Amino acid sequence: MSRIYIFDTTLRDGEQTPGVSLNVQEKLEIARQLARLNVDVIEAGFPVASPGDFAATAAIAEQIQGPKIAALARATAKDIETAAKALQQAKYPIIHTFVATSPIHMEYKLRKQPAEVLQMVEDAVKGARGFVDDVEFSAEDATRSDLVFLAEVVQTAVNAGATRINIPDTVGYTTPGEFRNLIHYLKNHVAGIDQVQLSVHCHNDLGMAVANSLAALEAGATQVECTINGLGERAGNASLEELVMALSTRQDYFAFRTGIVTEHISRTSRLVSALTGVPVQPNKAIVGANAFAHESGIHQDGFLKAPSTYEIMTPQSIGLHESRLVLGKHSGRHAFREKLKELGYNLTGTEMEQAFQRFIVLADKKKEVSDRDIDALLQEEIVAIPESLTLDYIHISSGNQTVPTATVRLTQGEIGTAEAACGSGPIDAVYKAIDRASGISAKLESYALQAVTGGKDALGEVTVRIRGNGSTFIGRGTSTDIIEASAKAYVHALNKLVYQRSQNPDDEAPCKEEG
Ligand code: KIV
Ligand code: ZN
């Protein structure tokens, strides 16, 4: 059975999802989880794009063991040198360089003739090989390129020393049959193509990214680029979980295997959704909340008689399992530590104690603390940034016959400030009071509330996206009280904004409301 290599680009193309912006700690946390998932390559970022992207790529290159680490670079000397610098500490670095090859991109975007593009390909690949042994070349917009020219481009890249050739369907335009033919064509017209990793990278504009990627694998591609939850530019990229579970569930048909530890899929999906603030639609294949739910009587009856009547894969295979250990308010440190081990967390003594204290508070309010609740608690803890602002208390008065009013007290350094405000609803009032108490005004771009588990005592998880200081910040808060969860999420996002300002001392301008 041949091996297919998984190149994960959640942290690069996935981060290009509109509204998504991850800080270094969040990217590191996702990279750690991708390493547990056992992807072959993590594309960590586009280092020349911003100092933050450079820092995140360098931190991942230094700290993440296991997968190879790739960094993106346009076909210019500066991009390639910057990518190489960011990758300096990686054990297995890959420079991923690209140039567009379709007539439309060459004429309107690059304003270059085909011969000039060929020269750029050669210079970029040779330049990158001067820094690292593993170089991937991508022909951007390959599926709208002239096939003969595309083969010439790929031949040039192979001759110049590329070790991986990537064929992107940049605008999600191709179809499975057409893409299969394209891969066959390249395999038959490029000398030496069998000596390199042949990769595909499909976007989902027509909803065919996964189908197109699978067709390419059938035609002889050996690497597939994808993202968790299908995040990415516009309609996103091929989703890792769909590709991997298609290959594993239909091994009888495809006869391919990957190195993915599928039992980590569910946790990875939840982590990425929580940190990016992009929810997973309930009917999303594999990781949607309904993916293993059976609603109609006929289905339930069949499922109860034999799960395989309506389930083609088990929930356990993606890491959804009934826990052996149920935690509640009588659980002690030992049980809590065991649970964390069972869930795959590896905390230091202090982190474990902090998490335990938060667990006790939750267990006091909630009869049964589920695995999802623990994940939600720990995700707040793990990516904690310095808390310049702490929320001391909130008091609200609300009802259908009264003007919602909130009083909030925040501490900044040694100073505590209490402020009150009215709003169109209790959350609006709380956010206005927080703005006043913090002296920071940011624009609330999105607000989402969801219950972590079922039941009236479920933890509410709030995710907000705010804009201030020229950037976007995602904040998360959980509590059994949704007003408190909302306040925590907003303060969390404001703390990220304050942190970013402290990291860029030149940027001392006060935050003005944007937009
Ligand atoms: O979609 C695309 O063409 C890309 C390349 C940079 C590989 O993301
Ligand atoms: Zn892409």
Side-chain angles (χ1 to χ4, degrees):
M1 203 166 326
S2 34
R3 170 85 148 81
I4 298 300
Y5 294 87
I6 302 293
F7 179 116
D8 181 278
T9 183
T10 306
L11 296 175
R12 199 278 298 169
D13 217 325
E15 214 218 358
Q16 290 172 220
T17 304
V20 169
S21 152
L22 297 163
N23 63 31
V24 176
Q25 282 150 303
E26 290 164 335
K27 284 194 176 179
L28 262 173
E29 195 45 42
I30 292 176
R32 273 188 207 109
Q33 184 59 28
L34 291 172
R36 285 182 206 116
L37 188 64
N38 205 29
V39 302
D40 297 291
V41 179
I42 294 175
E43 186 163 45
F46 186 8
V48 85
S50 70
D53 233 345
F54 183 95
T57 308
I60 290 169
E62 188 185 344
Q63 296 183 38
I64 303 299
Q65 309 297 328
K68 297 182 175 169
I69 310 297
L72 187 68
R74 285 166 300 188
T76 68
K78 179 168 178 240
D79 275 36
I80 290 167
E81 197 183 320
T82 310
K85 266 197 198 128
L87 290 172
Q88 240 158 20
Q89 302 300 321
K91 194 160 175 198
Y92 303 109
I94 302 172
I95 294 181
H96 174 192
T97 186
F98 71 100
V99 66
T101 55
S102 64
I104 205 162
H105 276 236
M106 289 191 291
E107 183 181 341
Y108 296 111
K109 190 178 83 175
L110 300 177
R111 298 187 193 287
K112 297 233 181 273
Q113 295 301 316
E116 294 175 281
V117 168
L118 284 174
Q119 192 58 54
M120 286 173 78
V121 174
E122 183 177 341
D123 294 347
V125 174
K126 283 190 173 157
R129 280 298 305 259
F131 293 105
V132 296
D133 292 336
D134 202 348
V135 171
E136 171 163 308
F137 172 75
S138 287
E140 191 190 9
D141 206 15
T143 52
R144 293 194 298 168
S145 302
D146 174 80
L147 213 47
V148 175
F149 179 62
L150 180 65
E152 211 180 328
V153 166
V154 171
Q155 188 69 69
T156 305
V158 170
N159 293 349
T163 47
R164 298 166 196 259
I165 294 293
N166 183 38
I167 307 299
D169 182 26
T170 303
V171 289
Y173 180 72
T174 198
T175 67
E178 185 183 62
F179 205 37
R180 188 180 287 118
N181 291 342
L182 188 155
I183 299 296
H184 273 309
Y185 182 88
L186 293 177
K187 282 186 75 77
N188 291 327
H189 290 83
V190 177
I193 199 158
D194 290 332
Q195 265 68 63
V196 303
Q197 196 77 260
L198 182 55
S199 176
V200 289
H201 171 117
C202 296
H203 279 268
N204 205 29
D205 300 65
L206 292 173
M208 291 190 281
V210 170
N212 289 335
S213 305
L214 291 171
L217 295 179
E218 287 184 273
T222 48
Q223 174 178 286
V224 65
E225 303 197 355
C226 46
T227 58
I228 301 295
N229 298 341
L231 291 181
E233 281 276 353
R234 306 181 310 279
N237 288 62
S239 126
L240 180 147
E241 58 278 8
E242 292 176 24
L243 279 167
V244 167
M245 291 314 286
L247 294 177
S248 105
T249 307
R250 296 307 313 273
Q251 224 169 50
D252 60 319
Y253 174 78
F254 290 109
F256 293 136
R257 69 190 168 84
T258 69
I260 296 295
V261 181
T262 61
E263 290 76 10
H264 273 295
I265 284 180
S266 175
R267 169 95 35 77
T268 314
S269 162
R270 289 207 300 271
L271 179 72
V272 169
S273 172
L275 298 187
T276 56
V278 180
V280 174
Q281 74 191 56
N283 58 333
K284 162 93 172 60
I286 319 296
V287 290
N290 297 347
F292 293 93
H294 304 280
E295 154 66 23
S296 88
I298 296 173
H299 285 217
Q300 288 174 345
D301 177 57
F303 173 76
L304 289 171
K305 287 175 177 152
S308 60
T309 50
Y310 287 102
E311 268 181 6
I312 57 170
M313 59 200 140
T314 65
Q316 289 80 1
S317 64
I318 62 151
L320 289 171
H321 55 88
E322 290 302 318
S323 182
R324 293 175 289 115
L325 204 59
V326 178
L327 296 187
K329 73 176 183 186
H330 300 298
S331 307
R333 281 184 177 73
H334 184 191
F336 186 65
R337 198 177 302 117
E338 281 307 305
K339 169 60 77 184
L340 294 190
K341 237 194 262 166
E342 185 186 310
L343 294 177
Y345 289 105
N346 193 3
L347 303 192
T348 63
T350 329
E351 287 167 340
M352 152 77 199
E353 190 50 36
Q354 281 168 353
F356 183 65
Q357 293 309 326
R358 288 163 56 86
F359 158 73
I360 291 176
V361 174
L362 176 62
D364 221 24
K365 297 182 187 160
K366 204 170 180 284
K367 195 167 166 289
E368 234 175 56
V369 179
S370 70
D371 293 0
R372 297 284 305 267
D373 292 332
I374 304 229
D375 276 339
L377 276 188
L378 284 163
Q379 278 160 19
E380 269 186 24
E381 202 67 51
I382 285 166
V383 290
I385 35 121
E387 276 201 326
S388 315
L389 304 167
T390 48
L391 183 65
D392 299 334
Y393 70 74
I394 328 167
H395 174 82
I396 57 149
S397 150
S398 186
N400 62 350
Q401 301 288 341
T402 182
V403 178
T405 313
T407 311
V408 163
R409 192 184 132 102
L410 291 180
T411 301
Q412 291 192 60
E414 302 285 286
I415 303 164
T417 313
E419 284 288 351
C422 299
S424 55
I427 294 167
D428 186 39
V430 166
Y431 284 8
K432 284 189 172 131
I434 292 175
D435 283 350
R436 284 187 190 161
S438 66
I440 304 170
S441 178
K443 182 172 186 254
L444 179 68
E445 288 196 330
S446 73
Y447 171 97
L449 164 68
Q450 64 175 27
V452 172
T453 46
K456 287 186 181 145
D457 65 351
L459 262 188
E461 180 176 70
V462 173
T463 307
V464 295
R465 181 182 303 137
I466 65 165
R467 185 149 187 93
N469 227 28
S471 304
T472 302
F473 305 91
I474 309 272
R476 289 179 58 251
T478 49
S479 169
T480 46
D481 174 335
I482 59 167
I483 307 285
E484 188 188 14
S486 305
K488 282 164 88 176
Y490 194 60
V491 171
H492 183 217
L494 288 179
N495 271 322
K496 286 186 180 173
L497 188 156
V498 174
Y499 181 63
Q500 190 212 49
R501 276 202 279 174
S502 72
Q503 300 297 101
N504 302 298
D506 298 344
D507 186 10
E508 281 299 333
C511 284
K512 289 210 201 80
E513 184 134 353
E514 300 190 16

